[in-house]
Amino acid sequence: MSALWSVGAGLLLLLLWVRHRGLEAVLVHHRWVFVCLFLLPLSILFDIYYQLRAWAVWRLHSAPRQHAQRVRHIQEQVREWKKEGSKRYMCTGRPGWLTVSLRVGKYKKTHKNIMINLMDVLEVDSERQVVRVEPLVSMGQLTAYLNPMGWTIPVVPELDDLTVGGLIMGTGIESSSHIYGLFQHTCVAYELVLADGSLVRCSPTENSDLFYAVPWSCGTLGFLVAAEIKMIPAKKYVKIHYKPVRGLQKICEKFTEESKKKENSFVEGLMYSLDEAVIMTGVLTDEAEQSKINRIGNYYKPWFFKHVEKYLKADRTGVEYIPSRHYYHRHTRSIFWELQVSPDIIPFGNNPVFRYLFGWMVPPKISLLKLTQGEAIRKLYEQHHVVQDMLVPMKSLEKSIQTFHVDLNVYPIWLCPFILPNNPGMVHPKGNETELYVDIGAYGEPKSKQFEARASMRQMEKFVRSVHGFQMLYADCYMTREEFWDMFDGSLYHKLREQMNCKDAFPEVYDKICKAARH
């Protein structure tokens, strides 16, 4: 009873403090209180629900049987839209706050919402080494499903909540991408419901134009209802080698050298300043030295980027064996470093006391953070925070990092190499040959004195266009329509929109992702 009185008294004092300070002031300056008391428990409930649902579907084997019925329901909704006169554009009915993208598109309120409840793994074909999944299957769900069977997918983009549909219609990358390319390059087929309500399958040999046009199209060519993704054999551990490097030129040389080595299963770099970085290379293995196993995914472990920083501060190399699934989701608990660098979330989350007592609840769902953000925090983030991934040719790496430093001055910076084949579609190298690119990820509060959100990002976008690079479309885009189509190749995309009568059914991709489209 005394414990209940203590909790009650604590809640009463909290409510009095919130009333005294004002709710908006608390949410802006002390949001961590709200995050810890409400969003973390809610995030746990979300996870429990989806895990139980996935388990029930697996036990009942209902996914393959019900998939066709669910797809027919989507087709019926599209045909109903046509009967109504096709007066509004269509979009998925999934609420904007549920997506991992920072945008909450205002188009959800004005477009015809098509409900798509497709979140199951449909089939694992060991002979073809292909897994067939629905678009709302998440990376955490997929690796948990495949790993016990001895399989994984070649590119497992970092965060647990990233979905297959988002990674195809947008894009996805991981430290294995220097071998396999972007997430889209590991897919062998897509199934879509088109603007006329028909269901089509596309692959490199079947409706190939559509297959190559779908990635980066952001749901403006049709509704994705299934995808087939390559599988590779899973191994127990990733043997990871940490190498501190100092000096920008040496960092770029070492990173480029390691990215070209196919014997490296994984390559990744974390830059902690303009001339300090840790380059990590990893190989898959079933054998491990027991004394060097680091289960970095355990809730009480230090956040991965802080763990890596220890090698830089000590100026020493190191070798560890990380369980494979822990490695694939190594940045999930800290959402890279967003939980620490965003003072309104959990800046003290890496403190050992917090990790041991409450680390099992971390991270809060990005979707819940967005849902409860509020206008004041949204404006604060818009002007004083960046979350951007720019994809540039590896040969422009040094110049690109210098530009990031001058325009943004945000650290850590994530470096992830990837091979970009010369396929048709919106994103491909300038020449006719496959080319090595690198994703430069900047997440945090810019320290550049001259930073101004719109002007600085437009300057950054102009630089990326000048080196024939690309901006990931999940984040704020300040480009004009002409600049956007200068960055991306829209020839195939626009041809198909014309052929498939998409212009009255879906907005152009630019109109979904540009700054003006954001809520």
Side-chain angles (χ1 to χ4, degrees):
M1 185 62 71
S2 59
L4 289 175
W5 277 110
S6 298
V7 171
L11 288 173
L12 179 61
L13 289 172
L14 175 64
L15 291 172
L16 291 172
W17 176 66
V18 169
R19 184 178 179 183
H20 171 70
R21 293 299 304 273
L23 181 60
E24 183 171 313
V26 169
L27 288 179
V28 172
H29 301 292
H30 305 281
R31 195 180 179 210
W32 60 267
V33 175
F34 181 73
V35 170
C36 292
L37 290 180
F38 298 101
L39 296 194
L40 287 180
L42 279 175
S43 298
I44 291 293
L45 292 176
F46 260 60
D47 281 336
I48 290 173
Y49 166 74
Y50 283 111
Q51 287 171 11
L52 287 175
R53 184 192 179 284
W55 177 83
V57 167
W58 174 72
R59 291 290 297 176
L60 297 172
H61 303 288
S62 64
R65 294 198 305 271
Q66 292 187 5
H67 174 74
Q69 179 182 334
R70 290 170 180 161
V71 171
R72 282 194 296 272
H73 178 58
I74 295 168
Q75 292 177 281
E76 289 167 4
Q77 292 178 76
V78 173
R79 288 169 184 145
E80 183 65 28
W81 165 82
K82 289 187 70 178
K83 288 179 184 177
E84 292 171 354
S86 310
K87 296 176 182 178
R88 295 181 291 164
Y89 289 139
M90 292 183 289
C91 68
T92 64
R94 191 184 190 208
W97 61 269
L98 271 176
T99 64
V100 173
S101 167
L102 296 183
R103 272 193 313 276
V104 178
K106 62 185 179 183
Y107 61 85
K108 293 281 186 181
K109 299 176 182 177
T110 58
H111 294 182
K112 171 72 172 178
N113 282 215
I114 304 298
M115 302 311 297
I116 297 177
N117 183 29
L118 300 172
M119 55 181 69
D120 299 319
V121 179
L122 298 173
E123 180 185 4
V124 176
D125 188 333
S126 300
E127 188 173 331
R128 289 176 59 215
Q129 293 193 191
V130 165
V131 57
R132 182 168 172 255
V133 300
E134 293 180 329
L136 295 181
V137 168
S138 70
M139 290 298 99
Q141 177 187 352
L142 188 55
T143 54
Y145 190 95
L146 291 180
N147 289 172
M149 299 181 182
W151 295 104
T152 187
I153 55 175
V155 175
V156 184
E158 263 306 325
L159 304 179
D160 282 19
D161 290 342
L162 292 169
T163 63
V164 168
L167 295 168
I168 291 170
M169 292 295 186
T171 193
I173 193 170
E174 181 46 275
S175 52
S176 56
S177 289
H178 67 296
I179 298 173
Y180 299 104
L182 300 172
F183 186 84
Q184 69 203 57
H185 300 127
T186 68
C187 298
V188 298
Y190 309 128
E191 296 169 39
L192 296 101
V193 172
L194 302 184
D196 62 358
S198 62
L199 175 66
V200 300
R201 183 180 186 274
C202 56
S203 71
T205 57
E206 179 184 4
N207 298 310
S208 60
D209 277 357
L210 182 58
F211 177 79
Y212 290 115
V214 162
W216 296 75
S217 66
C218 297
T220 60
L221 293 174
F223 296 108
L224 184 71
V225 295
E228 295 177 27
I229 309 167
K230 294 176 187 174
M231 298 189 304
I232 58 174
K235 294 193 176 181
K236 293 180 181 178
Y237 301 99
V238 174
K239 181 182 181 182
I240 187 168
H241 183 269
Y242 303 91
K243 172 70 175 176
V245 186
R246 287 179 166 81
L248 181 57
Q249 184 178 353
K250 289 183 178 179
I251 291 169
C252 294
E253 288 174 353
K254 181 65 174 175
F255 185 76
T256 303
E257 175 191 339
E258 296 297 343
S259 300
K260 290 179 178 178
K261 294 179 180 177
K262 300 300 183 185
E263 60 265 31
N264 288 328
S265 305
F266 307 97
V267 179
E268 174 183 28
L270 292 183
M271 293 195 66
Y272 292 90
S273 71
L274 181 60
D275 58 0
E276 292 181 309
V278 178
I279 308 298
M280 289 160 279
T281 58
V283 294
L284 288 163
T285 178
D286 283 323
E287 306 297 328
E289 298 176 49
Q290 292 300 311
S291 61
K292 294 183 178 180
I293 293 177
N294 183 4
R295 303 184 188 281
I296 196 70
N298 288 348
Y299 70 87
Y300 51 84
K301 287 283 190 173
W303 288 346
F304 184 72
F305 79 98
K306 297 301 292 184
H307 172 67
V308 173
E309 191 177 21
K310 292 177 183 177
Y311 291 95
L312 182 65
K313 289 181 175 179
D315 196 24
R316 65 180 179 87
T317 60
V319 174
E320 288 184 330
Y321 295 83
I322 299 179
S324 294
R325 193 157 185 269
H326 288 217
Y327 177 82
Y328 287 134
H329 302 288
R330 64 199 177 281
H331 291 299
T332 292
R333 284 191 301 125
S334 56
I335 315 179
F336 280 86
W337 31 91
E338 277 289 295
L339 292 194
Q340 178 164 301
V341 301
S342 300
D344 64 312
I345 306 182
I346 317 177
F348 47 81
N350 193 52
N351 182 284
V353 175
F354 183 88
R355 290 201 316 267
Y356 275 88
L357 292 178
F358 306 108
W360 55 276
M361 292 194 289
V362 171
K365 292 288 184 187
I366 295 175
S367 53
L368 293 178
L369 290 171
K370 285 169 59 180
L371 180 63
T372 59
Q373 193 174 53
E375 187 65 16
I377 295 176
R378 186 189 68 77
K379 288 181 177 177
L380 189 70
Y381 265 66
E382 188 174 295
Q383 294 301 320
H384 304 287
H385 199 91
V386 296
V387 180
Q388 292 281 353
D389 285 85
M390 299 293 188
L391 314 180
V392 299
M394 185 68 79
K395 61 191 177 188
S396 303
L397 178 58
E398 185 173 348
K399 187 178 179 182
S400 300
I401 292 174
Q402 289 170 337
T403 301
F404 267 67
H405 180 78
V406 172
D407 291 344
L408 302 180
N409 193 9
V410 171
Y411 294 97
I413 282 178
W414 191 50
L415 302 178
C416 185
F418 68 99
I419 201 75
L420 185 60
N422 188 35
N423 292 339
M426 286 176 59
V427 172
H428 55 75
K430 189 174 184 179
N432 296 321
E433 301 295 327
T434 294
E435 187 173 348
L436 189 61
Y437 270 62
V438 56
D439 174 10
I440 304 178
Y443 325 120
E445 184 178 346
K447 300 297 191 295
S448 175
K449 292 181 180 179
Q450 67 265 33
F451 178 79
E452 191 281 318
R454 178 180 174 81
S456 298
M457 287 315 306
R458 280 191 54 76
Q459 189 169 314
M460 181 72 69
E461 290 165 346
K462 182 179 179 181
F463 167 78
V464 172
R465 290 196 304 275
S466 74
V467 297
H468 198 74
F470 308 95
Q471 180 182 27
M472 280 198 186
L473 303 184
Y474 74 89
D476 283 338
C477 167
Y478 292 84
M479 289 183 282
T480 65
R481 191 181 304 272
E482 293 71 26
E483 290 167 342
F484 181 85
W485 290 117
D486 181 44
M487 176 179 284
F488 296 96
D489 181 356
S491 55
L492 181 61
Y493 171 78
H494 289 301
K495 171 189 163 186
L496 284 176
R497 275 178 62 82
E498 190 74 41
Q499 287 180 357
M500 300 190 308
N501 299 315
C502 292
K503 289 188 174 182
D504 294 328
F506 307 104
E508 187 183 292
V509 61
Y510 175 77
D511 293 314
K512 288 190 73 171
I513 63 89
C514 69
K515 191 69 177 66
R518 180 169 171 168
H519 172 65

